[in-house]
């Protein structure tokens, strides 16, 4: 067997040098646990960054993928497959939007959403092409989606960027009101900013944004890539507010770990696309769709959004206990369901490494926010285990 050392050395020689990886080689997983190639066990509260909503190696996903792989892995979108149509129908029924398009990733879903919004704008006026997004947002790494991303650090070096994007402070309706005009084709927002540090806007924000969009004939695009799929305690984060978007994007948890994304649209928005206007070779192939169909059926059968709400509340309470215990270190606990961030007074990186040494995977976003996006089927005992590790790590820091 190749050693971890050798794998890490080879990676640094052969892979594009874009990832600052933790020094561990993961090999297998089971439920909320993963194991490295030396057999060390970790409690996985990062879940592949909000991807592994059923944990690792869920038998229903494993069976669905294995059965589908033995039958048909891929065919072109020039043909129909039962798995793809079934996924589209399920997504429409579960979300209340009218149409679905299946692609391969979050960035690709947002890229398609941006294209659809531009086409829609042009059905109204030739210059109705502008897209407003939020500061500290995250929408992906393609040229258009990193431009939509309101964080200069992701854009630097890639200029010239596509035009037509502008940014407003997240959660600030007055700023949005000033920015929206007849030239706006869409306002694009995350209902909860994930990568930006787990920021939840005031309850009226999405409603106000939707009203401004309606007033100016613009579309509201909600990026539910991280907040969707049950994570916040409802299937979609916007369902807490009742504000239905015109276009919505999904990815991360949708395939239970298999790469997949989706654009959802109302009929009004969807009509702007016709044959040939958008496409994908791999997107919606039967293997990925079978994984998503199995994931969705478990999510619905086991009512995982409800479990996310329950476990999230339990975990927030425990984290607030840690905040009271370490007030010099923790200044805030933010979250909804099982997307939770704790605001630290110093960089989070060392704590992530200390947790890893103690047997838990988490990550740090926005520099000083520890983020938890575990599987949605975790139990109290897993939260307790995570809290014990955090307590130990924070206590060592306080000494
Ligand atoms: C992760 C993420 C994306 C990008 O998804 P990829 O699959 O990495 O392209 C876009 N938007 C949000 C809100 C995300 O969390």
């Amino acid at each position: 067997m190749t050693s971890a050392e050798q794998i890490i050395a080879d990676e640094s020689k052969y892979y594009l040098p874009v990832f600052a990886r933790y020094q561990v080689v993961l090999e297998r997983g089971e439920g909320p646990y993963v194991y490295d190639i030396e057999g060390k066990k970790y409690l996985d509260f990062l879940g592949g960054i909000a991807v592994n909503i059923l944990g690792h190696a869920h038998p229903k996903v494993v069976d669905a993928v294995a059965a589908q792989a033995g039958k048909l892995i891929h065919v072109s979108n020039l043909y129909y497959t039962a798995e793809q149509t079934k996924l589209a129908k399920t997504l429409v029924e579960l979300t209340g939007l009218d149409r679905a398009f299946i692609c391969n990733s979050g960035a690709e879903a947002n890229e398609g959403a941006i294209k659809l919004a531009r086409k829609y704008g042009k059905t109204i006026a030739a210059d109705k092409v502008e897209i407003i997004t939020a500061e500290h947002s995250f929408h992906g790494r393609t040229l258009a989606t990193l431009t939509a991303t309101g964080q200069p650090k992701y854009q630097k070096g890639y200029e010239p960027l596509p035009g037509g994007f502008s940014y407003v402070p997240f959660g600030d309706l007055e700023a949005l009101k000033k920015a929206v005009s007849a030239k706006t084709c869409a306002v694009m927002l995350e209902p909860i900013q994930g990568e930006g540090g787990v920021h939840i806007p005031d309850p009226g924000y999405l409603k106000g944004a939707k009203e401004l969009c309606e007033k100016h004939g613009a579309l509201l695009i909600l990026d539910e890539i991280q907040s969707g799929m049950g994570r916040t305690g409802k299937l979609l984060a916007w369902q807490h507010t009742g504000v239905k978007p015109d276009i919505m994007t999904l990815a991360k948890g949708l395939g239970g770990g298999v790469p997949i994304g989706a654009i959802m649209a109302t009929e009004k928005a969807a009509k702007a696309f016709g044959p040939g206007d958008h496409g994908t070779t791999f997107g919606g192939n039967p293997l990925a769709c079978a994984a998503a169909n199995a994931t969705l059926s478990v999510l619905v059968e086991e009512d995982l959004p409800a479990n996310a709400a329950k476990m999230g509340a339990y975990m927030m309470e425990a984290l607030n206990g840690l905040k009271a215990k370490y007030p010099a270190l923790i200044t805030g606990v933010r979250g909804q369901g099982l997307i939770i961030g704790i605001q630290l007074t110093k960089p989070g990186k060392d704590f992530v490494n200390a947790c890893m040494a103690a047997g838990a995977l988490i990550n740090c976003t926005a520099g000083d926010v520890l983020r938890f996006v575990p599987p949605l089927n975790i139990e109290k005992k897993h939260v307790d285990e995570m809290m014990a590790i955090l307590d130990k790590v924070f206590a060592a820091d306080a000494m």
Side-chain angles (χ1 to χ4, degrees), residues 171-196:
D172 184 343
L173 266 184
E174 276 310 305
L176 187 59
K177 195 171 167 184
K178 284 196 194 111
V180 189
S181 76
K183 291 186 181 172
T184 308
C185 69
V187 173
M188 182 171 185
L189 298 168
E190 293 156 272
I192 294 179
Q193 288 190 334
E195 299 307 299

Side-chain angles (χ1 to χ4, degrees), residues 294-338:
T295 303
L296 278 165
S297 81
V298 173
L299 183 130
V300 170
E301 271 162 33
E302 299 183 6
D303 198 2
L304 293 184
N307 192 60
K310 208 164 91 189
M311 289 304 116
Y314 180 68
M315 185 162 161
M316 293 268 284
E317 195 183 309
L319 286 171
N320 275 309
L322 288 181
K323 177 173 169 255
K325 193 166 167 189
Y326 304 101
L329 182 60
I330 306 174
T331 54
V333 176
R334 302 186 289 265
Q336 190 167 29
L338 285 173

Side-chain angles (χ1 to χ4, degrees), residues 105-107 110 138-140 190 195 223 225-226 252:
S105 71
N110 283 338
F138 185 81
H139 297 297
E190 293 156 272
E195 299 307 299
D223 177 344
I225 289 165
Q226 187 159 158
K252 292 213 160 88

Side-chain angles (χ1 to χ4, degrees), residues 38-362:
E38 277 136 18
K40 181 172 169 178
K41 183 181 182 182
Y42 303 86
L43 177 64
D44 185 4
F45 265 43
L46 179 59
I49 313 188
V51 167
N52 301 307
I53 59 174
L54 306 183
H56 298 277
H58 191 286
K60 289 202 174 144
V61 177
V62 172
D63 288 352
V65 168
Q68 189 59 46
K71 225 162 49 178
L72 191 66
I73 291 178
H74 175 83
V75 290
S76 160
N77 276 307
L78 293 171
Y79 310 101
Y80 299 91
T81 66
E83 290 296 331
Q84 185 188 89
T85 305
K86 179 181 172 190
L87 178 57
K89 181 169 184 248
T90 305
L91 285 174
V92 164
E93 285 171 356
L94 288 175
T95 65
L97 277 85
D98 300 318
R99 288 181 181 271
F101 177 88
I102 313 298
C103 58
N104 304 288
S105 71
E108 196 188 337
N110 283 338
E111 186 84 21
I114 289 166
K115 287 174 69 180
L116 180 57
R118 283 269 168 86
K119 273 262 173 183
Y120 173 83
K122 286 186 177 160
T123 64
I124 299 169
D127 64 349
K128 195 172 180 60
V129 297
E130 291 175 7
I131 295 168
I132 300 169
T133 71
E135 290 169 7
H136 305 294
S137 58
F138 185 81
H139 297 297
R141 303 285 203 142
T142 64
L143 265 182
T145 59
L146 71 82
T147 305
T149 293
Q151 300 193 57
K153 70 172 178 187
Y154 292 110
Q155 301 168 344
K156 215 171 147 266
Y158 300 114
E159 303 84 358
L161 301 176
F165 289 86
S166 64
Y167 315 94
V168 292
F170 185 59
D172 184 343
L173 266 184
E174 276 310 305
L176 187 59
K177 195 171 167 184
K178 284 196 194 111
V180 189
S181 76
K183 291 186 181 172
T184 308
C185 69
V187 173
M188 182 171 185
L189 298 168
E190 293 156 272
I192 294 179
Q193 288 190 334
E195 299 307 299
V198 187
H199 292 290
I200 304 168
D202 289 341
Y205 182 59
L206 288 186
K207 187 160 174 281
K210 172 87 181 189
E211 282 165 9
L212 285 170
C213 285
E214 279 172 354
K215 194 172 153 211
H216 294 272
L219 301 175
L220 178 65
I221 304 174
L222 289 183
D223 177 344
E224 288 265 8
I225 289 165
Q226 187 159 158
S227 58
M229 299 308 297
R231 179 146 307 274
T232 65
K234 292 194 186 284
L235 182 69
L236 306 160
W238 62 257
Q239 289 170 335
H240 294 281
T241 69
V243 178
K244 189 166 127 184
D246 303 290
I247 301 175
M248 174 180 76
T249 51
L250 295 170
K252 292 213 160 88
L254 179 56
V258 173
I260 189 166
I263 309 168
M264 305 295 302
T266 59
E267 196 62 39
K268 179 179 93 169
K271 272 201 312 231
F273 268 171
D277 283 344
H278 192 55
T280 164
T281 297
F282 287 118
N285 87 18
L287 186 73
C289 290
N293 284 326
T295 303
L296 278 165
S297 81
V298 173
L299 183 130
V300 170
E301 271 162 33
E302 299 183 6
D303 198 2
L304 293 184
N307 192 60
K310 208 164 91 189
M311 289 304 116
Y314 180 68
M315 185 162 161
M316 293 268 284
E317 195 183 309
L319 286 171
N320 275 309
L322 288 181
K323 177 173 169 255
K325 193 166 167 189
Y326 304 101
L329 182 60
I330 306 174
T331 54
V333 176
R334 302 186 289 265
Q336 190 167 29
L338 285 173
I339 176 169
I340 301 176
I342 58 180
Q343 182 67 55
L344 303 178
T345 51
K346 55 172 141 176
K349 195 166 169 280
D350 291 347
F351 295 104
V352 174
N353 278 311
C355 283
M356 206 171 83
L361 304 185
I362 60 168

